[in-house]
């Protein structure tokens, strides 16, 4: 059975006065893919993801989620999307459970059972009744991911989801991403500068450098030609004459 495109990006561009941003991004992401946006800090990853989520307006170009344009039909396009971009926000004087109950008000089909399931998935069940102001950065990140998956979105856009997590947290997050992709067909678009984690998590990888997508390929293809994703990344950057 042919996979359909979950995300289509054409000519997506947003440039800032300081010369940073993203230029002419073209991508098609298959349903169920775990796509990793790999690049150093300041390479344009977050700018691209904010445009994908409709948080900033592109200078030009378009993003479609299951055929619906984010720029022209925002509500319809974003119905199937969960996001965590930049920092995970929560209400500090509410518990983890209360935070998710508040978010659940936007989704009629989300009940306490689903909230408990999400807390379990991100490893916060044992602290569900603690206030989020007591949480470490990694725990806040887990809570942000729980909020993003609450409505069972078909597409998840996650900006540095492993940020602030300890080793156990990274393992938990990788397991959760792979499980949702395999069992529920969830499509992931996630950014990271952690090369090793992208190698272990993602089915496809795009390398971003200096505001441009310099290459993209399936992880298996890359690792058949290179000893590691790190070797591939360095060679791509050098090949484009920017080191």
């Amino acid at each position: 059975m042919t996979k359909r495109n979950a995300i289509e990006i054409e000519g997506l561009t947003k440039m800032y006065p300081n010369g940073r941003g993203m230029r002419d991004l073209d991508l098609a992401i298959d349903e169920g893919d775990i796509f990793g946006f790999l690049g150093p800090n300041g390479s344009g990853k977050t700018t691209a993801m904010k445009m994908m989520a409709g948080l900033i307006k592109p200078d030009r170009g378009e993003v479609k989620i299951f055929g619906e344009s984010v720029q022209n039909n925002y509500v319809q396009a974003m119905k199937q999307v969960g996001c965590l971009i930049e920092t995970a926000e929560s209400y500090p004087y509410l518990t983890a459970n209360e935070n998710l109950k508040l978010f659940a008000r936007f989704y009629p089909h989300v009940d306490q059972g689903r909230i408990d399931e999400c807390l379990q998935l991100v490893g916060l069940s044992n602290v569900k009744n603690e206030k989020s102001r007591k949480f470490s950065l990694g725990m806040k990140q887990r809570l942000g991911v729980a909020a993003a998956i609450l409505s069972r979105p078909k597409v998840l856009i996650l900006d540095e989801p492993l940020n602030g997590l300890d080793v156990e947290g990274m393992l938990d997050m990788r397991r959760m991403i792979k499980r949702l992709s395999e069992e529920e067909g969830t499509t992931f678009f996630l950014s990271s500068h952690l090369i090793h984690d992208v190698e272990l998590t993602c089915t496809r990888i795009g390398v971003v450098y200096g505001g441009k997508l310099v290459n993209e390929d399936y992880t298996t293809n890359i690792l058949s030609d290179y000893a590691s994703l790190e070797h591939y990344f360095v060679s791509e950057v050098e090949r484009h004459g920017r080191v």
Side-chain angles (χ1 to χ4, degrees), residues 12 46-58 63 65 69-75 77-78 81 83 85 157:
L12 200 62
T46 298
T47 296
M49 296 173 94
K50 283 182 173 179
M51 288 189 282
M52 290 171 65
L55 297 175
I56 57 175
K57 192 176 177 182
V63 179
I65 311 282
S69 170
V70 172
Q71 282 68 46
N72 300 325
N73 195 3
Y74 179 77
V75 173
M78 296 303 289
V81 180
C83 294
I85 294 181
I157 300 171

Side-chain angles (χ1 to χ4, degrees), residues 64-105:
K64 290 181 180 175
I65 311 282
F66 292 113
E68 296 286 354
S69 170
V70 172
Q71 282 68 46
N72 300 325
N73 195 3
Y74 179 77
V75 173
Q76 195 61 32
M78 296 303 289
K79 268 185 178 174
Q80 313 270 31
V81 180
C83 294
L84 175 60
I85 294 181
E86 289 198 318
T87 51
E89 299 292 345
S90 62
Y91 293 95
Y93 292 97
L94 297 181
T95 65
N97 189 68
E98 288 166 346
N99 265 285
L100 294 187
K101 278 182 87 166
L102 197 63
F103 295 130
R105 291 166 59 191

Side-chain angles (χ1 to χ4, degrees), residues 192-208:
S192 184
H193 59 280
L194 302 171
I195 295 179
H196 184 61
D197 287 290
V198 170
E199 180 178 325
L200 293 174
T201 310
C202 299
T203 54
R204 267 176 79 198
I205 291 158
V207 174
V208 190

Side-chain angles (χ1 to χ4, degrees), residues 31-34 153-156 177 180-188:
E31 188 173 14
D33 266 4
I34 305 171
K154 290 193 168 74
V155 172
L156 274 163
I177 289 168
L180 291 178
S181 169
E182 289 165 10
E183 294 180 10
E184 299 187 17
T186 308
T187 306
F188 285 86

